[in-house]
Amino acid sequence: MLDRALRRPVVMVYHGVNDTADEDDPNQIVVPPRHFRAHVELLRRRGYRFLSVEGLLDRGASEPPPPRTAVLTFDDGWRDGLTVVAPLLGRLEIPATFYVCPGQWAAQHVDVTGPAGRLLDEREAHSLVQAGMELGSHTMSHPDLRLLDDDALAAELSDSKAAIERLTGRPCRTLAYPFGLFDERVQAAVAHAGYELALAWQPGPWHRL
């Protein structure tokens, strides 16, 4: 049982990776760089192979990833993805996928004050791609998709996809659900918008959307 637990595939979900004061991050969603580095080093010692989310698609997303597969994802598009995460992962030749909201370029994260809460602007997001990282959609404005009417839901999904494709010059194939929340109607809209794989937060049986 323990051996199986140490071999199973993992998708790691992060937000910011930075040093920040407790009063600036009351919900503790920003991970200190030393902790993030320790997570990566532990997975490497365990013999994990790192893939981006699109790397899962390239091997076929209908089945769960094989044992000892690790995928690093980062929600919301924090600026420290470019200044902290990409340099570390670049040195280790490890890919990662960053889920961004094009409607919130250069914004301040609602939950974190101070410099650690700054989000990428469009130029910085492009630099992240040039650094070898992957961008996916986190919708345009990060709403709870379940609460939107059909037109607003379609716009959140298609507009963000189109904005990311303009920035990267390649298809945007994957989505991370805001707050990790979805239902059957949202899943159908995600498929209709052309996404091939969507991620939530909670562990459970593998399902492509």
Side-chain angles (χ1 to χ4, degrees), residues 106-128:
Q108 183 77 21
H109 197 279
V110 295
D111 292 325
V112 179
T113 58
R118 182 184 164 190
L119 303 183
L120 295 161
D121 63 29
E122 193 168 2
R123 179 186 58 81
E124 291 166 337
H126 187 262
S127 296
L128 191 58

Side-chain angles (χ1 to χ4, degrees), residues 10 12 39-48 50 70 72:
V10 293
M12 307 288 285
H39 300 166
V40 172
E41 290 173 351
L42 174 62
L43 290 168
R44 293 181 82 200
R45 288 198 302 272
R46 294 293 183 188
Y48 275 75
F50 291 87
L72 305 179

Side-chain angles (χ1 to χ4, degrees), residues 3 11 24 39 41 48 53-54 90 102 146-147 153 201:
D3 180 65
V11 178
D24 289 337
H39 300 166
E41 290 173 351
Y48 275 75
V53 179
E54 287 194 14
R146 304 170 304 169
L147 305 181
L153 172 59
W201 282 359

Side-chain angles (χ1 to χ4, degrees), residues 60-74:
S62 59
E63 298 295 328
R68 287 202 172 98
T69 299
V71 180
L72 305 179
T73 72
F74 300 83

Side-chain angles (χ1 to χ4, degrees), residues 139 143-148 153 156-157 175 177-178 185-186:
T139 73
D144 182 341
L145 296 175
R146 304 170 304 169
L147 305 181
L148 303 181
L153 172 59
E156 283 284 344
L157 296 170
L175 170 85
Y177 293 110
R185 183 180 69 101
V186 170

